[in-house]
Amino acid sequence: MARRKIVAGNWKMNMTPSEAVKLAEELKPLVASEEVDVVYCVPAIDIIPVVEAVKGTNVAVGAENMYFEEKGAYTGEISAAMLVDAGVKYVIIGHSERRDYFKEDDALLNKKVKKAFEAGLTPILCCGESLELREMGVTMDWIRFQIKSDLVGITADQVKTMVIAYEPIWAIGTGKTATTEQAQEVCKGIRECIAEMYDAATAEAVRIQYGGSVNAGTAADLFSQPDIDGGLVGGASLKAEFGQIVNYK
Ligand code: PGA
């Protein structure tokens, strides 16, 4: 069975609640699609108004982060149950900005992935190498380590429903998209890793996105690769261009 493409915007720390509603309204006619799953991953404070703004459309709302504990004394954190209650369907886990700036390690991310599934959220698990690691020739070893450690204890049935985003750090926000060949090679490697960890059916089902400076000009080539099932889009998700990326064909 062919995997359905999924294009997710990662708004990062952009858009106040009123700006977020305005953007969601503007994008509405542009991101309409029968073929592609569309997600806006938005700042926590924008979740409630954006869920309201996209009601009745093909757009699902995602969070950019969450905490793994059920509830309690974790000042400033947001739980999976809070996200679900607010109407969130997806959650980005382990974005390189969280890993680098906020020192989130794979043991923590594994707990977050587990909690997301437990709560009924679909994780968009990010992985990706730095330029230094790529130049050392250890890209795939690094990615395999991330995937394996972030998925400890996660079942095949869960993996089948999740999304993995391959985002080379050197391509994020730099305007330097990975070549189609580079992106396909790593996404294929991730699928092979899942096949080894689980089985062929799980590898066939899991959706793998590419992210890193995706734009209207590169989306079609990237998303038509056999192992790339869509994209995680930062900068270009904040403008009308996102509609062209969703309707990349
Ligand atoms: P970018 O960000 O598209 O602006 O490179 C992608 C991401 O960080 O998810």
Side-chain angles (χ1 to χ4, degrees), residues 63-91:
E64 299 177 10
N65 184 28
M66 54 161 257
Y67 199 51
F68 69 88
E69 291 286 2
E70 185 63 33
K71 59 160 119 173
Y74 305 100
T75 302
E77 292 297 321
I78 290 180
S79 74
M82 291 171 188
L83 297 178
V84 171
D85 191 58
V88 166
K89 303 288 181 212
Y90 294 84
V91 58

PDB file of all heavy atoms in Angstrom, residues 63-91:
ATOM      1  N   ALA A  63       2.020  19.958  18.148  1.00  0.00           N
ATOM      2  CA  ALA A  63       2.814  20.752  19.087  1.00  0.00           C
ATOM      3  C   ALA A  63       4.282  20.618  18.692  1.00  0.00           C
ATOM      4  O   ALA A  63       4.657  19.696  17.968  1.00  0.00           O
ATOM      5  CB  ALA A  63       2.593  20.244  20.504  1.00  0.00           C
ATOM      6  N   GLU A  64       5.102  21.528  19.177  1.00  0.00           N
ATOM      7  CA  GLU A  64       6.531  21.512  18.838  1.00  0.00           C
ATOM      8  C   GLU A  64       7.362  20.785  19.888  1.00  0.00           C
ATOM      9  O   GLU A  64       8.561  20.571  19.702  1.00  0.00           O
ATOM     10  CB  GLU A  64       7.043  22.943  18.683  1.00  0.00           C
ATOM     11  CG  GLU A  64       6.340  23.703  17.573  1.00  0.00           C
ATOM     12  CD  GLU A  64       6.805  25.158  17.485  1.00  0.00           C
ATOM     13  OE1 GLU A  64       7.785  25.527  18.152  1.00  0.00           O
ATOM     14  OE2 GLU A  64       6.159  25.918  16.749  1.00  0.00           O
ATOM     15  N   ASN A  65       6.708  20.460  21.007  1.00  0.00           N
ATOM     16  CA  ASN A  65       7.416  19.850  22.131  1.00  0.00           C
ATOM     17  C   ASN A  65       6.377  19.427  23.161  1.00  0.00           C
ATOM     18  O   ASN A  65       5.222  19.855  23.101  1.00  0.00           O
ATOM     19  CB  ASN A  65       8.370  20.880  22.742  1.00  0.00           C
ATOM     20  CG  ASN A  65       9.226  20.314  23.858  1.00  0.00           C
ATOM     21  OD1 ASN A  65       9.531  19.127  23.893  1.00  0.00           O
ATOM     22  ND2 ASN A  65       9.611  21.163  24.800  1.00  0.00           N
ATOM     23  N   MET A  66       6.752  18.594  24.106  1.00  0.00           N
ATOM     24  CA  MET A  66       5.911  18.258  25.261  1.00  0.00           C
ATOM     25  C   MET A  66       6.814  17.656  26.319  1.00  0.00           C
ATOM     26  O   MET A  66       7.972  17.335  26.049  1.00  0.00           O
ATOM     27  CB  MET A  66       4.819  17.253  24.893  1.00  0.00           C
ATOM     28  CG  MET A  66       5.348  15.991  24.232  1.00  0.00           C
ATOM     29  SD  MET A  66       4.218  14.594  24.257  1.00  0.00           S
ATOM     30  CE  MET A  66       4.954  13.619  25.573  1.00  0.00           C
ATOM     31  N   TYR A  67       6.272  17.478  27.530  1.00  0.00           N
ATOM     32  CA  TYR A  67       7.051  16.824  28.587  1.00  0.00           C
ATOM     33  C   TYR A  67       6.497  15.420  28.807  1.00  0.00           C
ATOM     34  O   TYR A  67       5.344  15.146  28.511  1.00  0.00           O
ATOM     35  CB  TYR A  67       7.002  17.650  29.871  1.00  0.00           C
ATOM     36  CG  TYR A  67       8.116  17.280  30.818  1.00  0.00           C
ATOM     37  CD1 TYR A  67       9.441  17.242  30.373  1.00  0.00           C
ATOM     38  CD2 TYR A  67       7.866  16.946  32.147  1.00  0.00           C
ATOM     39  CE1 TYR A  67      10.468  16.875  31.222  1.00  0.00           C
ATOM     40  CE2 TYR A  67       8.892  16.586  33.011  1.00  0.00           C
ATOM     41  CZ  TYR A  67      10.196  16.552  32.542  1.00  0.00           C
ATOM     42  OH  TYR A  67      11.212  16.180  33.388  1.00  0.00           O
ATOM     43  N   PHE A  68       7.345  14.529  29.344  1.00  0.00           N
ATOM     44  CA  PHE A  68       6.920  13.121  29.431  1.00  0.00           C
ATOM     45  C   PHE A  68       6.160  12.779  30.705  1.00  0.00           C
ATOM     46  O   PHE A  68       5.505  11.744  30.779  1.00  0.00           O
ATOM     47  CB  PHE A  68       8.131  12.191  29.290  1.00  0.00           C
ATOM     48  CG  PHE A  68       9.084  12.234  30.448  1.00  0.00           C
ATOM     49  CD1 PHE A  68       8.903  11.415  31.554  1.00  0.00           C
ATOM     50  CD2 PHE A  68      10.163  13.118  30.440  1.00  0.00           C
ATOM     51  CE1 PHE A  68       9.776  11.472  32.625  1.00  0.00           C
ATOM     52  CE2 PHE A  68      11.032  13.180  31.512  1.00  0.00           C
ATOM     53  CZ  PHE A  68      10.838  12.354  32.614  1.00  0.00           C
ATOM     54  N   GLU A  69       6.244  13.633  31.715  1.00  0.00           N
ATOM     55  CA  GLU A  69       5.549  13.305  32.973  1.00  0.00           C
ATOM     56  C   GLU A  69       4.046  13.553  32.811  1.00  0.00           C
ATOM     57  O   GLU A  69       3.627  14.397  32.020  1.00  0.00           O
ATOM     58  CB  GLU A  69       6.094  14.148  34.126  1.00  0.00           C
ATOM     59  CG  GLU A  69       7.520  13.799  34.534  1.00  0.00           C
ATOM     60  CD  GLU A  69       7.629  12.483  35.321  1.00  0.00           C
ATOM     61  OE1 GLU A  69       6.608  11.798  35.525  1.00  0.00           O
ATOM     62  OE2 GLU A  69       8.768  12.149  35.721  1.00  0.00           O
ATOM     63  N   GLU A  70       3.264  12.834  33.594  1.00  0.00           N
ATOM     64  CA  GLU A  70       1.807  12.921  33.509  1.00  0.00           C
ATOM     65  C   GLU A  70       1.312  14.311  33.914  1.00  0.00           C
ATOM     66  O   GLU A  70       0.551  14.953  33.198  1.00  0.00           O
ATOM     67  CB  GLU A  70       1.203  11.845  34.431  1.00  0.00           C
ATOM     68  CG  GLU A  70      -0.295  11.715  34.384  1.00  0.00           C
ATOM     69  CD  GLU A  70      -0.805  11.291  33.011  1.00  0.00           C
ATOM     70  OE1 GLU A  70      -0.101  10.529  32.316  1.00  0.00           O
ATOM     71  OE2 GLU A  70      -1.905  11.732  32.638  1.00  0.00           O
ATOM     72  N   LYS A  71       1.753  14.766  35.095  1.00  0.00           N
ATOM     73  CA  LYS A  71       1.393  16.099  35.599  1.00  0.00           C
ATOM     74  C   LYS A  71       2.227  16.396  36.831  1.00  0.00           C
ATOM     75  O   LYS A  71       2.969  15.537  37.306  1.00  0.00           O
ATOM     76  CB  LYS A  71      -0.091  16.167  35.948  1.00  0.00           C
ATOM     77  CG  LYS A  71      -0.525  15.159  37.015  1.00  0.00           C
ATOM     78  CD  LYS A  71      -1.821  15.588  37.641  1.00  0.00           C
ATOM     79  CE  LYS A  71      -2.926  14.576  37.442  1.00  0.00           C
ATOM     80  NZ  LYS A  71      -4.131  14.879  38.166  1.00  0.00           N
ATOM     81  N   GLY A  72       2.121  17.590  37.354  1.00  0.00           N
ATOM     82  CA  GLY A  72       2.788  17.874  38.620  1.00  0.00           C
ATOM     83  C   GLY A  72       3.718  19.062  38.576  1.00  0.00           C
ATOM     84  O   GLY A  72       3.560  19.973  37.758  1.00  0.00           O
ATOM     85  N   ALA A  73       4.720  19.033  39.452  1.00  0.00           N
ATOM     86  CA  ALA A  73       5.580  20.189  39.684  1.00  0.00           C
ATOM     87  C   ALA A  73       6.703  20.271  38.647  1.00  0.00           C
ATOM     88  O   ALA A  73       7.860  19.953  38.925  1.00  0.00           O
ATOM     89  CB  ALA A  73       6.152  20.107  41.095  1.00  0.00           C
ATOM     90  N   TYR A  74       6.339  20.657  37.444  1.00  0.00           N
ATOM     91  CA  TYR A  74       7.310  20.814  36.342  1.00  0.00           C
ATOM     92  C   TYR A  74       7.068  22.168  35.694  1.00  0.00           C
ATOM     93  O   TYR A  74       6.587  22.259  34.548  1.00  0.00           O
ATOM     94  CB  TYR A  74       7.181  19.664  35.331  1.00  0.00           C
ATOM     95  CG  TYR A  74       7.323  18.323  35.992  1.00  0.00           C
ATOM     96  CD1 TYR A  74       6.203  17.565  36.313  1.00  0.00           C
ATOM     97  CD2 TYR A  74       8.579  17.846  36.366  1.00  0.00           C
ATOM     98  CE1 TYR A  74       6.317  16.359  36.980  1.00  0.00           C
ATOM     99  CE2 TYR A  74       8.711  16.638  37.038  1.00  0.00           C
ATOM    100  CZ  TYR A  74       7.574  15.900  37.338  1.00  0.00           C
ATOM    101  OH  TYR A  74       7.705  14.712  38.003  1.00  0.00           O
ATOM    102  N   THR A  75       7.355  23.201  36.440  1.00  0.00           N
ATOM    103  CA  THR A  75       7.039  24.567  36.038  1.00  0.00           C
ATOM    104  C   THR A  75       7.434  24.861  34.595  1.00  0.00           C
ATOM    105  O   THR A  75       8.573  24.619  34.202  1.00  0.00           O
ATOM    106  CB  THR A  75       7.755  25.567  36.981  1.00  0.00           C
ATOM    107  OG1 THR A  75       7.329  25.281  38.316  1.00  0.00           O
ATOM    108  CG2 THR A  75       7.411  27.012  36.632  1.00  0.00           C
ATOM    109  N   GLY A  76       6.479  25.340  33.835  1.00  0.00           N
ATOM    110  CA  GLY A  76       6.763  25.752  32.460  1.00  0.00           C
ATOM    111  C   GLY A  76       6.535  24.666  31.428  1.00  0.00           C
ATOM    112  O   GLY A  76       6.595  24.942  30.234  1.00  0.00           O
ATOM    113  N   GLU A  77       6.306  23.436  31.877  1.00  0.00           N
ATOM    114  CA  GLU A  77       6.153  22.337  30.909  1.00  0.00           C
ATOM    115  C   GLU A  77       4.689  22.102  30.534  1.00  0.00           C
ATOM    116  O   GLU A  77       3.772  22.538  31.231  1.00  0.00           O
ATOM    117  CB  GLU A  77       6.763  21.055  31.474  1.00  0.00           C
ATOM    118  CG  GLU A  77       8.274  21.117  31.596  1.00  0.00           C
ATOM    119  CD  GLU A  77       8.983  21.274  30.259  1.00  0.00           C
ATOM    120  OE1 GLU A  77       8.556  20.658  29.270  1.00  0.00           O
ATOM    121  OE2 GLU A  77       9.973  22.023  30.202  1.00  0.00           O
ATOM    122  N   ILE A  78       4.489  21.375  29.440  1.00  0.00           N
ATOM    123  CA  ILE A  78       3.147  21.061  28.947  1.00  0.00           C
ATOM    124  C   ILE A  78       3.043  19.551  28.756  1.00  0.00           C
ATOM    125  O   ILE A  78       3.949  18.935  28.189  1.00  0.00           O
ATOM    126  CB  ILE A  78       2.892  21.837  27.635  1.00  0.00           C
ATOM    127  CG1 ILE A  78       2.752  23.326  27.992  1.00  0.00           C
ATOM    128  CG2 ILE A  78       1.654  21.322  26.905  1.00  0.00           C
ATOM    129  CD1 ILE A  78       2.500  24.226  26.841  1.00  0.00           C
ATOM    130  N   SER A  79       1.961  18.960  29.255  1.00  0.00           N
ATOM    131  CA  SER A  79       1.838  17.501  29.204  1.00  0.00           C
ATOM    132  C   SER A  79       1.144  17.039  27.931  1.00  0.00           C
ATOM    133  O   SER A  79       0.442  17.809  27.264  1.00  0.00           O
ATOM    134  CB  SER A  79       1.042  17.000  30.417  1.00  0.00           C
ATOM    135  OG  SER A  79      -0.340  17.314  30.255  1.00  0.00           O
ATOM    136  N   ALA A  80       1.309  15.749  27.657  1.00  0.00           N
ATOM    137  CA  ALA A  80       0.652  15.138  26.501  1.00  0.00           C
ATOM    138  C   ALA A  80      -0.867  15.243  26.636  1.00  0.00           C
ATOM    139  O   ALA A  80      -1.571  15.540  25.665  1.00  0.00           O
ATOM    140  CB  ALA A  80       1.091  13.683  26.374  1.00  0.00           C
ATOM    141  N   ALA A  81      -1.387  15.027  27.861  1.00  0.00           N
ATOM    142  CA  ALA A  81      -2.840  15.086  28.070  1.00  0.00           C
ATOM    143  C   ALA A  81      -3.380  16.487  27.782  1.00  0.00           C
ATOM    144  O   ALA A  81      -4.483  16.637  27.237  1.00  0.00           O
ATOM    145  CB  ALA A  81      -3.174  14.673  29.500  1.00  0.00           C
ATOM    146  N   MET A  82      -2.613  17.507  28.123  1.00  0.00           N
ATOM    147  CA  MET A  82      -3.043  18.888  27.840  1.00  0.00           C
ATOM    148  C   MET A  82      -3.148  19.104  26.332  1.00  0.00           C
ATOM    149  O   MET A  82      -4.096  19.732  25.841  1.00  0.00           O
ATOM    150  CB  MET A  82      -2.033  19.891  28.422  1.00  0.00           C
ATOM    151  CG  MET A  82      -2.013  19.951  29.931  1.00  0.00           C
ATOM    152  SD  MET A  82      -0.599  20.952  30.465  1.00  0.00           S
ATOM    153  CE  MET A  82      -0.660  20.677  32.228  1.00  0.00           C
ATOM    154  N   LEU A  83      -2.167  18.570  25.610  1.00  0.00           N
ATOM    155  CA  LEU A  83      -2.175  18.725  24.143  1.00  0.00           C
ATOM    156  C   LEU A  83      -3.390  18.020  23.540  1.00  0.00           C
ATOM    157  O   LEU A  83      -4.095  18.586  22.697  1.00  0.00           O
ATOM    158  CB  LEU A  83      -0.878  18.159  23.539  1.00  0.00           C
ATOM    159  CG  LEU A  83       0.422  18.863  23.953  1.00  0.00           C
ATOM    160  CD1 LEU A  83       1.619  18.157  23.304  1.00  0.00           C
ATOM    161  CD2 LEU A  83       0.405  20.335  23.554  1.00  0.00           C
ATOM    162  N   VAL A  84      -3.624  16.794  23.997  1.00  0.00           N
ATOM    163  CA  VAL A  84      -4.750  16.021  23.456  1.00  0.00           C
ATOM    164  C   VAL A  84      -6.062  16.758  23.721  1.00  0.00           C
ATOM    165  O   VAL A  84      -6.906  16.902  22.839  1.00  0.00           O
ATOM    166  CB  VAL A  84      -4.777  14.598  24.071  1.00  0.00           C
ATOM    167  CG1 VAL A  84      -6.054  13.866  23.701  1.00  0.00           C
ATOM    168  CG2 VAL A  84      -3.555  13.805  23.599  1.00  0.00           C
ATOM    169  N   ASP A  85      -6.211  17.241  24.947  1.00  0.00           N
ATOM    170  CA  ASP A  85      -7.453  17.922  25.316  1.00  0.00           C
ATOM    171  C   ASP A  85      -7.660  19.190  24.486  1.00  0.00           C
ATOM    172  O   ASP A  85      -8.795  19.602  24.235  1.00  0.00           O
ATOM    173  CB  ASP A  85      -7.441  18.254  26.812  1.00  0.00           C
ATOM    174  CG  ASP A  85      -8.796  18.723  27.298  1.00  0.00           C
ATOM    175  OD1 ASP A  85      -9.769  17.970  27.139  1.00  0.00           O
ATOM    176  OD2 ASP A  85      -8.896  19.862  27.793  1.00  0.00           O
ATOM    177  N   ALA A  86      -6.561  19.800  24.047  1.00  0.00           N
ATOM    178  CA  ALA A  86      -6.661  21.029  23.242  1.00  0.00           C
ATOM    179  C   ALA A  86      -6.904  20.738  21.761  1.00  0.00           C
ATOM    180  O   ALA A  86      -7.055  21.661  20.965  1.00  0.00           O
ATOM    181  CB  ALA A  86      -5.393  21.857  23.420  1.00  0.00           C
ATOM    182  N   GLY A  87      -6.905  19.442  21.388  1.00  0.00           N
ATOM    183  CA  GLY A  87      -7.188  19.104  19.993  1.00  0.00           C
ATOM    184  C   GLY A  87      -5.953  18.842  19.137  1.00  0.00           C
ATOM    185  O   GLY A  87      -6.030  18.784  17.908  1.00  0.00           O
ATOM    186  N   VAL A  88      -4.817  18.648  19.794  1.00  0.00           N
ATOM    187  CA  VAL A  88      -3.567  18.383  19.069  1.00  0.00           C
ATOM    188  C   VAL A  88      -3.495  16.911  18.656  1.00  0.00           C
ATOM    189  O   VAL A  88      -3.892  16.032  19.418  1.00  0.00           O
ATOM    190  CB  VAL A  88      -2.362  18.750  19.972  1.00  0.00           C
ATOM    191  CG1 VAL A  88      -1.058  18.191  19.422  1.00  0.00           C
ATOM    192  CG2 VAL A  88      -2.273  20.264  20.132  1.00  0.00           C
ATOM    193  N   LYS A  89      -2.992  16.659  17.452  1.00  0.00           N
ATOM    194  CA  LYS A  89      -2.870  15.284  16.954  1.00  0.00           C
ATOM    195  C   LYS A  89      -1.413  14.813  16.866  1.00  0.00           C
ATOM    196  O   LYS A  89      -1.135  13.626  16.960  1.00  0.00           O
ATOM    197  CB  LYS A  89      -3.486  15.169  15.544  1.00  0.00           C
ATOM    198  CG  LYS A  89      -4.944  15.593  15.479  1.00  0.00           C
ATOM    199  CD  LYS A  89      -5.859  14.586  16.145  1.00  0.00           C
ATOM    200  CE  LYS A  89      -7.315  15.002  16.046  1.00  0.00           C
ATOM    201  NZ  LYS A  89      -8.087  14.570  17.204  1.00  0.00           N
ATOM    202  N   TYR A  90      -0.510  15.733  16.589  1.00  0.00           N
ATOM    203  CA  TYR A  90       0.901  15.369  16.364  1.00  0.00           C
ATOM    204  C   TYR A  90       1.793  16.122  17.348  1.00  0.00           C
ATOM    205  O   TYR A  90       1.421  17.189  17.830  1.00  0.00           O
ATOM    206  CB  TYR A  90       1.340  15.778  14.951  1.00  0.00           C
ATOM    207  CG  TYR A  90       0.649  15.036  13.836  1.00  0.00           C
ATOM    208  CD1 TYR A  90      -0.603  15.437  13.365  1.00  0.00           C
ATOM    209  CD2 TYR A  90       1.259  13.927  13.238  1.00  0.00           C
ATOM    210  CE1 TYR A  90      -1.242  14.753  12.323  1.00  0.00           C
ATOM    211  CE2 TYR A  90       0.624  13.245  12.199  1.00  0.00           C
ATOM    212  CZ  TYR A  90      -0.616  13.664  11.742  1.00  0.00           C
ATOM    213  OH  TYR A  90      -1.231  12.988  10.715  1.00  0.00           O
ATOM    214  N   VAL A  91       2.977  15.588  17.591  1.00  0.00           N
ATOM    215  CA  VAL A  91       3.944  16.349  18.390  1.00  0.00           C
ATOM    216  C   VAL A  91       5.358  16.096  17.855  1.00  0.00           C
ATOM    217  O   VAL A  91       5.756  14.952  17.652  1.00  0.00           O
ATOM    218  CB  VAL A  91       3.820  16.015  19.899  1.00  0.00           C
ATOM    219  CG1 VAL A  91       4.017  14.541  20.193  1.00  0.00           C
ATOM    220  CG2 VAL A  91       4.800  16.866  20.727  1.00  0.00           C
TER     221      VAL A  91
END
